[in-house]
DNA sequence: CCGGATCCTATTTGATACTG
DNA sequence: CAGTATCAAATAGGATCCGG
């Protein structure tokens, strides 16, 4: 049994999944590989996500220390940018492997029926 | 929007997560890298998982074609073995990366407080 | 030994409206 | 622009018992 950021995990794989699991976290992280993004930029890229859900997932990613939030108070149109932390960048190989496997599965096994 | 095995995914990363996501799937898959395992062998290795949950996750992994189930009817003590399919074996690099990152996070960032 | 069936709880996600 | 609040729905996961 392992502990990370106050949560318990039965296995080192589930620890990682606790950080990147959930419906949207890998999607957010994958977009952030390309650099900083604002809240609304993320939202538009992600299409069907709701404000609340995006907000929650961003908070959790911050709590686990893989993304950071920068606020620019310059002028009334508030500006907030999200980006990977150095720690978060160590996830990039995994994220890319996950994206590649998704593509691979689509190309090679999408049409198969469950007939085995 | 992508489709795989009858389910919809907004991104190729979420497709992969749909297959390996959930609290126990990576744990199951990770143990199966080492070879075939019986239901009870898995259960013992996994400690806190309940019968129902293990059963469900195994079914879902089968439906997605990444593991296979072999039944040996030889004698009343039923014997069922689970193992990775060829398709499932393409997940091994991801699973090992996930396990390694979990270890890495434990060693390097476990003690940190959320004080950023 | 291997799970299916049933019931229940907890967590996650979504819809919608509203605010500094 | 970048969220938060509130409510409801969906999903995941657990406890327990039972049967082939």
């Amino acid at each position: 049994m392992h502990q990370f950021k106050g949560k318990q995990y039965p296995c080192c794989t589930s620890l990682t999944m606790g950080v990147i699991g959930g419906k949207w976290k890998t999607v957010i992280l994958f977009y952030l590989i390309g650099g900083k993004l604002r809240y609304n930029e993320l939202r538009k890229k992600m299409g069907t996500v709701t404000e609340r859900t995006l907000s929650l997932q961003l908070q959790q990613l911050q709590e686990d220390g893989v993304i950071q939030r920068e606020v620019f108070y310059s002028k009334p149109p508030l500006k907030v940018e999200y980006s990977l932390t150095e720690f978060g960048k160590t996830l990039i190989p995994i994220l890319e492997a996950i994206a590649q496997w998704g593509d691979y599965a689509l190309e090679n096994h999408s049409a198969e029926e469950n007939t085995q």
Side-chain angles (χ1 to χ4, degrees), chain A:
Chain A
M1 192 66 81
H2 307 297
Q3 188 162 4
F4 181 72
K5 304 278 181 185
K7 283 169 273 184
Q8 296 278 143
Y9 300 101
C11 170
C12 51
T13 62
S14 32
L15 191 159
T16 307
M17 296 305 282
V19 176
I20 66 170
K23 191 165 169 183
W24 296 107
K25 284 186 187 171
T26 55
V27 185
I28 295 171
L29 293 169
F30 190 64
Y31 284 129
L32 289 181
I33 291 178
K36 301 182 179 188
L37 284 176
R38 300 177 62 171
Y39 180 84
N40 265 355
E41 290 174 328
L42 271 172
R43 197 149 77 90
K44 282 169 197 157
K45 283 176 183 288
M46 293 167 60
T48 63
V49 75
T50 63
E51 298 171 356
R52 188 190 114 96
T53 301
L54 177 54
S55 188
L56 277 175
Q57 308 266 288
L58 286 168
Q59 279 175 35
Q60 291 169 19
L61 290 168
Q62 280 173 76
E63 282 167 20
D64 287 331
V66 294
I67 69 171
Q68 61 194 144
R69 179 175 183 268
E70 291 176 279
V71 188
F72 300 89
Y73 292 100
S74 47
K75 287 166 203 164
L78 195 54
K79 183 174 168 185
V80 180
E81 285 185 339
Y82 293 93
S83 56
L84 297 178
T85 61
E86 288 308 310
F87 181 45
K89 286 178 186 170
T90 62
L91 281 168
I92 292 180
I94 296 181
L95 295 167
E96 290 183 333
I98 286 176
Q100 279 170 26
W101 193 89
D103 281 335
Y104 166 76
L106 269 178
E107 287 172 24
N108 297 279
H109 297 265
S110 186
E112 284 178 16
E113 293 305 313
N114 313 338
T115 52
Q116 42 176 344

